[in-house]
Amino acid sequence: MGDSRLLVIGEGGIQQLTTYHRGGEESERLRIQEYGGVIAGQYVVKGEYGFMPTRTLGDAYFRDVGVIPGPESEIIVSEIRISGLLLQLNDYLM
């Protein structure tokens, strides 16, 4: 899906269930740095090139500095009852 967001809109409010996969996110920054990668702002930098997503398919040039094709997955227990909407957005709709 790439750059997708999953939101639950329910009785208790709005909860974002997904995280941004950018160098500015602490968990992603730490993972990239463990690979020896360099973060400049939101970008993973290799040589003279910068790349914003830290998880993506098809960009082998940045693999050795920590950009990976593997998704992030976890089980989330939400306090919000889904009586409203489960909304999935991507950057083409925003």
Side-chain angles (χ1 to χ4, degrees):
M1 279 286 167
D3 287 345
S4 293
R5 304 290 169 262
L6 184 62
L7 305 173
V8 174
I9 302 171
E11 293 174 6
I14 298 173
Q15 181 178 3
Q16 182 169 315
L17 300 179
T18 53
T19 57
Y20 293 103
H21 295 125
R22 301 276 188 262
E25 292 293 315
E26 184 177 4
S27 61
E28 292 296 290
R29 179 182 52 80
L30 292 173
R31 188 178 56 72
I32 294 293
Q33 289 173 339
E34 286 178 8
Y35 275 85
V38 175
I39 301 291
Q42 294 284 325
Y43 291 86
V44 178
V45 178
K46 181 179 176 185
E48 60 186 61
Y49 300 103
F51 195 66
M52 191 174 277
T54 56
R55 296 173 187 258
T56 182
L57 298 173
D59 205 309
Y61 178 74
F62 287 92
R63 291 283 182 261
D64 63 340
V65 293
V67 175
I68 60 174
E72 177 183 34
S73 62
E74 64 182 298
I75 296 173
I76 299 172
V77 178
S78 176
E79 298 293 323
I80 297 176
R81 293 183 55 204
I82 303 175
S83 59
L85 297 171
L86 182 61
L87 188 61
Q88 188 270 329
L89 304 165
N90 66 37
D91 59 357
Y92 297 108
L93 298 175
M94 296 175 145

